[in-house]
Amino acid sequence: MLDFLRPLKNDKFDFLTFLDGDKENSIQIQGQDYAEPGEKIGGSPLGDAYHIILFRNDELEDKYVDFDHFDAILPDPLEYISGLIPSGWLGIIAKKTTTSQKIVDKIVDKMQKA
């Protein structure tokens, strides 16, 4: 796991964003809970099910590229993003619940229109 993610290891969250930070070559990580958490959907003994939204930021053209959206079971979302961040990926990892699809659909729709 990336060292700067270790302080988040014991935090509980429904929604994790890893986006460009305010300073050049920085990243902002934020975990949040859903206002209406709902009931968990899916998962397995390996971990919970998550909605995953990934993209890269093309700074020259000021737009998102390589956009992808899928669901997956993750044993540890922080370990997962530890492999993505060094390769320039940004995104959102959102726990699948009975209320999460509406939130994720809004985000995906907004990003596809950007």
Side-chain angles (χ1 to χ4, degrees), residues 93-114:
I93 309 291
K95 191 175 291 178
K96 280 188 81 166
T97 70
T98 53
T99 60
S100 63
Q101 190 67 54
K102 187 186 324 183
I103 297 165
V104 170
D105 287 346
K106 283 182 184 178
I107 293 168
V108 169
D109 186 50
K110 208 176 242 190
M111 291 185 73
Q112 288 177 332
K113 289 179 180 176

mmCIF file of all heavy atoms in Angstrom, residues 93-114:
data_model
loop_
_atom_site.group_PDB
_atom_site.id
_atom_site.type_symbol
_atom_site.label_atom_id
_atom_site.label_comp_id
_atom_site.label_asym_id
_atom_site.label_seq_id
_atom_site.Cartn_x
_atom_site.Cartn_y
_atom_site.Cartn_z
ATOM 1 N N ILE A 93 -14.408 5.019 -5.917
ATOM 2 C CA ILE A 93 -14.747 3.666 -5.519
ATOM 3 C C ILE A 93 -15.931 3.797 -4.564
ATOM 4 O O ILE A 93 -15.806 4.421 -3.516
ATOM 5 C CB ILE A 93 -13.569 2.972 -4.787
ATOM 6 C CG1 ILE A 93 -12.267 3.081 -5.561
ATOM 7 C CG2 ILE A 93 -13.929 1.547 -4.418
ATOM 8 C CD1 ILE A 93 -12.208 2.310 -6.830
ATOM 9 N N ALA A 94 -17.088 3.245 -4.934
ATOM 10 C CA ALA A 94 -18.298 3.419 -4.139
ATOM 11 C C ALA A 94 -18.905 2.058 -3.793
ATOM 12 O O ALA A 94 -19.178 1.251 -4.685
ATOM 13 C CB ALA A 94 -19.315 4.250 -4.924
ATOM 14 N N LYS A 95 -19.090 1.813 -2.507
ATOM 15 C CA LYS A 95 -19.668 0.549 -2.065
ATOM 16 C C LYS A 95 -21.064 0.380 -2.669
ATOM 17 O O LYS A 95 -21.860 1.313 -2.680
ATOM 18 C CB LYS A 95 -19.762 0.522 -0.538
ATOM 19 C CG LYS A 95 -20.107 -0.827 0.025
ATOM 20 C CD LYS A 95 -20.076 -0.820 1.544
ATOM 21 C CE LYS A 95 -18.647 -0.653 1.998
ATOM 22 N NZ LYS A 95 -18.508 -0.593 3.441
ATOM 23 N N LYS A 96 -21.356 -0.820 -3.189
ATOM 24 C CA LYS A 96 -22.667 -1.091 -3.781
ATOM 25 C C LYS A 96 -23.695 -1.288 -2.672
ATOM 26 O O LYS A 96 -23.542 -2.154 -1.817
ATOM 27 C CB LYS A 96 -22.626 -2.344 -4.649
ATOM 28 C CG LYS A 96 -22.041 -2.116 -6.009
ATOM 29 C CD LYS A 96 -22.197 -3.332 -6.891
ATOM 30 C CE LYS A 96 -23.596 -3.328 -7.458
ATOM 31 N NZ LYS A 96 -23.756 -4.279 -8.570
ATOM 32 N N THR A 97 -24.728 -0.445 -2.718
ATOM 33 C CA THR A 97 -25.836 -0.558 -1.775
ATOM 34 C C THR A 97 -27.140 -0.343 -2.538
ATOM 35 O O THR A 97 -27.131 -0.037 -3.729
ATOM 36 C CB THR A 97 -25.737 0.500 -0.651
ATOM 37 O OG1 THR A 97 -26.005 1.790 -1.189
ATOM 38 C CG2 THR A 97 -24.377 0.481 0.037
ATOM 39 N N THR A 98 -28.231 -0.458 -1.809
ATOM 40 C CA THR A 98 -29.541 -0.248 -2.427
ATOM 41 C C THR A 98 -29.762 1.205 -2.832
ATOM 42 O O THR A 98 -30.679 1.504 -3.587
ATOM 43 C CB THR A 98 -30.668 -0.691 -1.477
ATOM 44 O OG1 THR A 98 -30.494 -0.042 -0.209
ATOM 45 C CG2 THR A 98 -30.656 -2.202 -1.280
ATOM 46 N N THR A 99 -28.914 2.119 -2.370
ATOM 47 C CA THR A 99 -29.057 3.539 -2.722
ATOM 48 C C THR A 99 -27.919 4.065 -3.595
ATOM 49 O O THR A 99 -27.989 5.177 -4.101
ATOM 50 C CB THR A 99 -29.133 4.411 -1.453
ATOM 51 O OG1 THR A 99 -27.928 4.225 -0.693
ATOM 52 C CG2 THR A 99 -30.338 4.046 -0.603
ATOM 53 N N SER A 100 -26.880 3.286 -3.795
ATOM 54 C CA SER A 100 -25.671 3.792 -4.462
ATOM 55 C C SER A 100 -25.811 3.965 -5.966
ATOM 56 O O SER A 100 -25.167 4.834 -6.553
ATOM 57 C CB SER A 100 -24.480 2.891 -4.163
ATOM 58 O OG SER A 100 -24.693 1.591 -4.686
ATOM 59 N N GLN A 101 -26.629 3.162 -6.616
ATOM 60 C CA GLN A 101 -26.708 3.209 -8.073
ATOM 61 C C GLN A 101 -27.137 4.579 -8.581
ATOM 62 O O GLN A 101 -26.600 5.083 -9.567
ATOM 63 C CB GLN A 101 -27.659 2.134 -8.604
ATOM 64 C CG GLN A 101 -27.608 1.975 -10.112
ATOM 65 C CD GLN A 101 -26.274 1.427 -10.593
ATOM 66 O OE1 GLN A 101 -25.823 0.391 -10.131
ATOM 67 N NE2 GLN A 101 -25.627 2.124 -11.510
ATOM 68 N N LYS A 102 -28.076 5.209 -7.887
ATOM 69 C CA LYS A 102 -28.553 6.529 -8.299
ATOM 70 C C LYS A 102 -27.411 7.561 -8.246
ATOM 71 O O LYS A 102 -27.240 8.351 -9.163
ATOM 72 C CB LYS A 102 -29.704 6.990 -7.401
ATOM 73 C CG LYS A 102 -30.332 8.273 -7.896
ATOM 74 C CD LYS A 102 -31.396 8.908 -7.003
ATOM 75 C CE LYS A 102 -32.296 8.034 -6.250
ATOM 76 N NZ LYS A 102 -33.321 8.768 -5.486
ATOM 77 N N ILE A 103 -26.610 7.500 -7.206
ATOM 78 C CA ILE A 103 -25.477 8.425 -7.047
ATOM 79 C C ILE A 103 -24.449 8.193 -8.151
ATOM 80 O O ILE A 103 -23.985 9.124 -8.802
ATOM 81 C CB ILE A 103 -24.824 8.242 -5.658
ATOM 82 C CG1 ILE A 103 -25.820 8.589 -4.551
ATOM 83 C CG2 ILE A 103 -23.550 9.061 -5.536
ATOM 84 C CD1 ILE A 103 -25.406 8.095 -3.182
ATOM 85 N N VAL A 104 -24.091 6.940 -8.356
ATOM 86 C CA VAL A 104 -23.083 6.584 -9.362
ATOM 87 C C VAL A 104 -23.567 6.952 -10.756
ATOM 88 O O VAL A 104 -22.802 7.489 -11.566
ATOM 89 C CB VAL A 104 -22.714 5.089 -9.249
ATOM 90 C CG1 VAL A 104 -21.867 4.644 -10.419
ATOM 91 C CG2 VAL A 104 -21.988 4.833 -7.929
ATOM 92 N N ASP A 105 -24.833 6.705 -11.053
ATOM 93 C CA ASP A 105 -25.375 7.069 -12.371
ATOM 94 C C ASP A 105 -25.262 8.566 -12.626
ATOM 95 O O ASP A 105 -24.925 8.990 -13.734
ATOM 96 C CB ASP A 105 -26.834 6.627 -12.505
ATOM 97 C CG ASP A 105 -26.991 5.131 -12.669
ATOM 98 O OD1 ASP A 105 -25.988 4.436 -12.938
ATOM 99 O OD2 ASP A 105 -28.135 4.641 -12.518
ATOM 100 N N LYS A 106 -25.516 9.384 -11.613
ATOM 101 C CA LYS A 106 -25.401 10.843 -11.768
ATOM 102 C C LYS A 106 -23.960 11.248 -12.060
ATOM 103 O O LYS A 106 -23.703 12.083 -12.923
ATOM 104 C CB LYS A 106 -25.881 11.567 -10.507
ATOM 105 C CG LYS A 106 -27.365 11.630 -10.366
ATOM 106 C CD LYS A 106 -27.750 12.406 -9.120
ATOM 107 C CE LYS A 106 -29.237 12.388 -8.903
ATOM 108 N NZ LYS A 106 -29.625 13.110 -7.672
ATOM 109 N N ILE A 107 -23.024 10.639 -11.347
ATOM 110 C CA ILE A 107 -21.607 10.958 -11.552
ATOM 111 C C ILE A 107 -21.172 10.551 -12.955
ATOM 112 O O ILE A 107 -20.528 11.330 -13.665
ATOM 113 C CB ILE A 107 -20.731 10.263 -10.485
ATOM 114 C CG1 ILE A 107 -21.021 10.859 -9.104
ATOM 115 C CG2 ILE A 107 -19.247 10.386 -10.834
ATOM 116 C CD1 ILE A 107 -20.440 10.054 -7.961
ATOM 117 N N VAL A 108 -21.508 9.335 -13.357
ATOM 118 C CA VAL A 108 -21.124 8.840 -14.685
ATOM 119 C C VAL A 108 -21.729 9.721 -15.775
ATOM 120 O O VAL A 108 -21.048 10.105 -16.730
ATOM 121 C CB VAL A 108 -21.536 7.360 -14.866
ATOM 122 C CG1 VAL A 108 -21.401 6.917 -16.307
ATOM 123 C CG2 VAL A 108 -20.714 6.466 -13.947
ATOM 124 N N ASP A 109 -23.005 10.070 -15.637
ATOM 125 C CA ASP A 109 -23.668 10.919 -16.620
ATOM 126 C C ASP A 109 -22.975 12.276 -16.728
ATOM 127 O O ASP A 109 -22.697 12.765 -17.832
ATOM 128 C CB ASP A 109 -25.146 11.098 -16.243
ATOM 129 C CG ASP A 109 -25.924 11.847 -17.302
ATOM 130 O OD1 ASP A 109 -25.835 11.461 -18.487
ATOM 131 O OD2 ASP A 109 -26.619 12.813 -16.938
ATOM 132 N N LYS A 110 -22.649 12.864 -15.601
ATOM 133 C CA LYS A 110 -21.986 14.175 -15.593
ATOM 134 C C LYS A 110 -20.602 14.095 -16.240
ATOM 135 O O LYS A 110 -20.215 14.970 -16.995
ATOM 136 C CB LYS A 110 -21.861 14.658 -14.145
ATOM 137 C CG LYS A 110 -21.831 16.121 -13.969
ATOM 138 C CD LYS A 110 -21.810 16.481 -12.496
ATOM 139 C CE LYS A 110 -23.054 17.276 -12.190
ATOM 140 N NZ LYS A 110 -23.006 17.874 -10.851
ATOM 141 N N MET A 111 -19.873 13.033 -15.948
ATOM 142 C CA MET A 111 -18.524 12.893 -16.498
ATOM 143 C C MET A 111 -18.552 12.638 -18.003
ATOM 144 O O MET A 111 -17.693 13.107 -18.732
ATOM 145 C CB MET A 111 -17.769 11.787 -15.779
ATOM 146 C CG MET A 111 -17.437 12.163 -14.358
ATOM 147 S SD MET A 111 -16.416 10.928 -13.567
ATOM 148 C CE MET A 111 -14.875 11.262 -14.402
ATOM 149 N N GLN A 112 -19.523 11.893 -18.472
ATOM 150 C CA GLN A 112 -19.613 11.604 -19.896
ATOM 151 C C GLN A 112 -20.006 12.844 -20.695
ATOM 152 O O GLN A 112 -19.684 12.949 -21.871
ATOM 153 C CB GLN A 112 -20.579 10.460 -20.156
ATOM 154 C CG GLN A 112 -20.011 9.131 -19.717
ATOM 155 C CD GLN A 112 -20.962 7.968 -19.880
ATOM 156 O OE1 GLN A 112 -22.175 8.117 -19.827
ATOM 157 N NE2 GLN A 112 -20.399 6.778 -20.044
ATOM 158 N N LYS A 113 -20.660 13.789 -20.041
ATOM 159 C CA LYS A 113 -21.048 15.038 -20.714
ATOM 160 C C LYS A 113 -19.930 16.078 -20.667
ATOM 161 O O LYS A 113 -19.967 17.038 -21.410
ATOM 162 C CB LYS A 113 -22.305 15.618 -20.067
ATOM 163 C CG LYS A 113 -23.541 14.808 -20.355
ATOM 164 C CD LYS A 113 -24.752 15.383 -19.680
ATOM 165 C CE LYS A 113 -25.979 14.545 -19.979
ATOM 166 N NZ LYS A 113 -27.162 15.026 -19.259
ATOM 167 N N ALA A 114 -18.948 15.846 -19.785
ATOM 168 C CA ALA A 114 -17.848 16.829 -19.632
ATOM 169 C C ALA A 114 -16.895 16.784 -20.806
ATOM 170 O O ALA A 114 -16.757 15.880 -21.526
ATOM 171 C CB ALA A 114 -17.091 16.565 -18.335
#
